[in-house]
Amino acid sequence: LRKMPHRDPWLVRVLSAGYRRVLDWSFAHTRIVVALALLSLVAAGVAYTRVGKTFMPTLDEGDIILQLQKLPSVNMGATAALDLRVQRALLRDVPEIRAIVARSGSDDLGLDPMGLNETDTFLVLKPASEWRGDKAQVIAAIRQVMQRFPGLDYTFTQPIEMRVSEMLTGSRGDLVVKIYGPDLRQLGDLAQQVARVLRSLPGAQDVLAARTEGVQYLTVDVDRLAAGRAGFDVETLQRDLRALVEGQQLGIVLEGVRRTPLLLRGGAELRDNPQAFADLRITGPDGRNWPLSQLARLRLTQGPVLVTHEDGSRFASVQANVSGRDLVGFVDEARRAVASQVKLPAGVRLQWGGQFENQQRAAARLGLVVPLALALIFVLLMATFGSLRQSVLVFANIPFALVGGVLALWASGEYLSVPASVGFIALLGIAVLNGVVLVSHFNELLQRGMPLAQAVHDGAMRRLRPVMMTASITALGLIPLLSASGPGSEIQKPLAVVVVGGLLSSTVLTLVLLPLLFARFGLPANERPRGASNPEDAP
């Protein structure tokens, strides 16, 4: 290492000269400095009311999932044919799509319960350099294609986002409204009403109400009097008819270690053709053949697609994505609109979930963790200084550190999310650290017998360099995150905005306001050493 001169570098000298003038002016105009600090708190409070709140920023995963929902009465063949038409149209008219993989219905294990009318269409996109615009324009082009398929409901999501939403809340979408009640038909009607209200709100996108009914069932009502005259036992007749459709297990076929159940049931035409089932002839106990149409009434009825339960109650769900505004503000407006426009019958209740539910859970947990962390910090300050006054002075840095973070969120258009909250927590630690650096040096100079005002003035000048180093290293280290555009940048940017903006206000107020407050309130009057005791007496 080469020898260094025993003097400050040029940058520190320039900063020290400017800081000395600012500090002298602040000591001479204490009331103005305090008034400006209080005004900054008021401005931050106003900005906080205008900052939107959400759970997590939307992470761009690259690919897109297009969720399709058809009429509940559709069969697998019709679903596959319609899906192929949609896929051919997308590949032809949206050149940004490289490949499509679609999945309809439920899997073999039943871990992903979906009806035959539901399809998850995975759209694999080309590299962004080959796009005609940004991702929003790609989605807009997909929407134009989907408008050519009337009666087909659709919504957009992403692979990881879809799975995380399903695991955490059991539903997909930024917002999920669950309607609980006993009557499926009533739940379906209410779900459509809620969906219409949500579609009318600004920021609502891809509103999708699950259809609870619409599947056709062939209902067989046995005529007990006719069946009795023919010599049939009603329960036996119903069991035999069910076996023709569903099958009756007669035994198990052993093939090595494989056990294959042996079923006896009617042919495929009998199961798929209602008229063939009505013309079925059944042999009675006396050997006579009876047409089924003489023993029972067969009629087509509309029935439920899927009966879903949660918390011991049936429910229907409405899912929606939010675009162009914060999630919490949208939900607050949606709650008021639904409460005024949708009348809930007795025994029916609503529950608001999805990403909004995660945001509420995270806010509640932070509301417990942050005060506890602040209390522990105050205990450590008391143990460090042994003075309630000085601990409160250092603690006063925390609100002023939040000023820059809140104003930075408001100015940048970012929302208060979990990453932003983590940034605020990190910011609190840095603000307290800088306060401890200053107050500890003030006490050290006071113990040497230096007058209070001089100790504050000289101590602030001597600790300018470490305070600036702490703030500048952290801020400069986070600046690349502000301009990042790669995967994960949506999560990192709110944290960087909060920390960088908060460091600006925290550093200025720590270096200017804290010396003034310490000179005025740092020591009780009976403990102040001889010499200058007022801020105006500082050299």
Side-chain angles (χ1 to χ4, degrees):
L1 297 177
R2 63 188 178 91
K3 294 183 179 180
M4 299 297 295
H6 292 283
R7 61 188 180 90
D8 291 333
W10 68 270
L11 180 59
V12 177
R13 294 197 302 271
V14 172
L15 291 176
S16 298
Y19 179 53
R20 184 183 298 277
R21 290 192 294 270
V22 172
L23 195 61
D24 292 341
W25 184 89
S26 301
F27 273 112
H29 303 83
T30 305
R31 294 183 178 179
I32 297 178
V33 174
V34 173
L36 290 176
L38 294 178
L39 284 177
S40 68
L41 283 177
V42 174
V46 174
Y48 179 78
T49 61
R50 300 178 180 273
V51 173
K53 302 176 182 63
T54 188
F55 174 58
M56 292 285 286
T58 302
L59 178 65
D60 186 6
E61 302 175 22
D63 297 330
I64 301 173
I65 290 183
L66 178 64
Q67 297 175 277
L68 305 178
Q69 188 179 88
K70 304 94 174 173
L71 292 175
S73 58
V74 70
N75 57 25
M76 180 58 75
T79 293
L82 182 56
D83 288 344
L84 286 175
R85 289 175 53 201
V86 171
Q87 294 166 27
R88 293 191 185 102
L90 290 174
L91 290 173
R92 182 181 63 251
D93 299 336
V94 185
E96 289 82 1
I97 300 177
R98 183 178 64 187
I100 297 178
V101 179
R103 181 183 60 198
S104 300
S106 301
D107 57 356
D108 293 337
L109 300 179
L111 300 178
D112 192 6
M114 293 169 51
L116 297 179
N117 62 319
E118 296 176 307
T119 301
D120 286 340
T121 307
F122 294 78
L123 308 179
V124 183
L125 304 181
K126 296 179 181 178
S129 58
E130 302 180 21
W131 296 357
R132 295 170 296 178
D134 57 10
K135 194 169 185 178
Q137 293 174 326
V138 175
I139 294 178
I142 297 174
R143 292 183 187 278
Q144 292 181 357
V145 174
M146 297 307 301
Q147 289 177 359
R148 303 204 298 262
F149 296 90
L152 188 62
D153 294 332
Y154 62 92
T155 182
F156 291 90
T157 183
Q158 302 179 98
I160 299 176
E161 180 183 359
M162 179 186 69
R163 284 304 175 204
V164 171
S165 298
E166 287 180 338
M167 288 188 296
L168 292 180
T169 64
S171 301
R172 309 170 182 179
D174 296 335
L175 172 64
V176 178
V177 184
K178 295 182 179 180
I179 309 171
Y180 295 88
D183 189 349
L184 281 178
R185 186 181 299 275
Q186 186 182 67
L187 293 179
D189 294 340
L190 292 174
Q192 297 299 327
Q193 295 180 35
V194 172
R196 285 194 293 270
V197 173
L198 294 182
R199 292 190 183 100
S200 65
L201 300 179
Q205 200 172 52
D206 305 329
V207 180
L208 185 63
R211 295 184 175 94
T212 58
E213 292 196 349
V215 174
Q216 288 188 345
Y217 291 88
L218 180 63
T219 303
V220 180
D221 295 327
V222 177
D223 187 344
R224 293 180 175 270
L225 184 59
R229 286 197 300 265
F232 287 99
D233 177 71
V234 175
E235 293 184 0
T236 303
L237 179 60
Q238 291 178 341
R239 185 173 62 251
D240 293 341
L241 293 176
R242 183 178 293 112
L244 289 174
V245 178
E246 300 177 1
Q248 180 179 0
Q249 182 172 341
L250 301 180
I252 296 178
V253 179
L254 298 178
E255 298 175 322
V257 296
R258 297 178 57 185
R259 300 167 61 90
T260 303
L262 180 61
L263 296 180
L264 176 63
R265 64 179 182 181
E269 181 183 358
L270 188 65
R271 299 193 303 272
D272 299 336
N273 190 345
Q275 186 59 44
F277 190 79
D279 295 339
L280 179 68
R281 303 187 69 86
I282 302 176
T283 303
D286 56 358
R288 296 177 58 187
N289 288 331
W290 295 86
L292 180 59
S293 56
Q294 295 184 11
L295 303 177
R297 292 184 299 273
L298 281 73
R299 53 191 176 90
L300 289 175
T301 59
Q302 297 283 338
V305 180
L306 180 67
V307 182
T308 54
H309 290 78
E310 189 174 271
D311 295 334
S313 177
R314 295 177 175 178
F315 78 96
S317 62
V318 181
Q319 69 181 49
N321 292 326
V322 180
S323 176
R325 61 181 300 184
D326 67 297
L327 179 59
V328 175
F330 177 82
V331 173
D332 291 340
E333 183 178 355
R335 278 179 161 172
R336 294 191 296 268
V338 170
S340 61
Q341 301 180 34
V342 180
K343 304 302 180 184
L344 297 181
V348 177
R349 59 185 176 89
L350 295 182
Q351 178 179 332
W352 301 78
Q355 294 294 339
F356 169 75
E357 185 179 1
N358 295 332
Q359 190 276 335
Q360 296 291 297
R361 189 182 300 112
R365 184 163 298 179
L366 288 173
L368 174 65
V369 173
V370 173
L372 181 60
L374 293 177
L376 293 176
I377 290 175
F378 190 79
V379 171
L380 292 177
L381 292 175
M382 286 291 297
T384 300
F385 299 118
S387 169
L388 179 62
R389 284 171 173 262
Q390 295 182 5
S391 300
V392 171
L393 286 178
V394 175
F395 216 66
N397 275 343
I398 292 178
F400 295 107
L402 302 180
V403 168
V406 173
L407 293 177
L409 278 180
W410 172 73
S412 63
E414 295 287 340
Y415 298 142
L416 180 60
S417 57
V418 172
S421 301
V422 174
F424 277 114
I425 295 174
L427 189 60
L428 301 183
I430 299 174
V432 171
L433 173 63
N434 288 335
V436 171
V437 169
L438 282 179
V439 173
S440 298
H441 195 58
F442 295 160
N443 290 333
E444 181 182 348
L445 296 180
L446 289 173
Q447 290 175 0
R448 296 178 184 177
M450 188 177 292
L452 175 60
Q454 184 180 357
V456 171
H457 190 278
D458 292 353
M461 291 298 304
R462 296 178 184 179
R463 286 296 174 261
L464 171 65
R465 186 173 181 177
V467 170
M468 290 299 298
M469 286 180 61
T470 302
S472 60
I473 289 175
T474 305
L476 292 175
L478 291 176
I479 283 179
L481 301 183
L482 296 177
S483 57
S485 58
S489 60
E490 302 89 352
I491 305 290
Q492 301 165 350
K493 189 173 183 179
L495 186 149
V497 167
V498 168
V499 174
V500 173
L503 283 175
L504 294 176
S505 65
S506 174
T507 303
V508 171
L509 293 172
T510 298
L511 292 173
V512 176
L513 185 62
L514 184 58
L516 300 182
L517 296 177
F518 189 90
R520 179 65 179 84
F521 304 106
L523 293 176
N526 57 352
E527 294 184 9
R528 294 182 180 180
R530 295 180 181 180
S533 59
N534 294 318
E536 291 78 4
D537 299 329

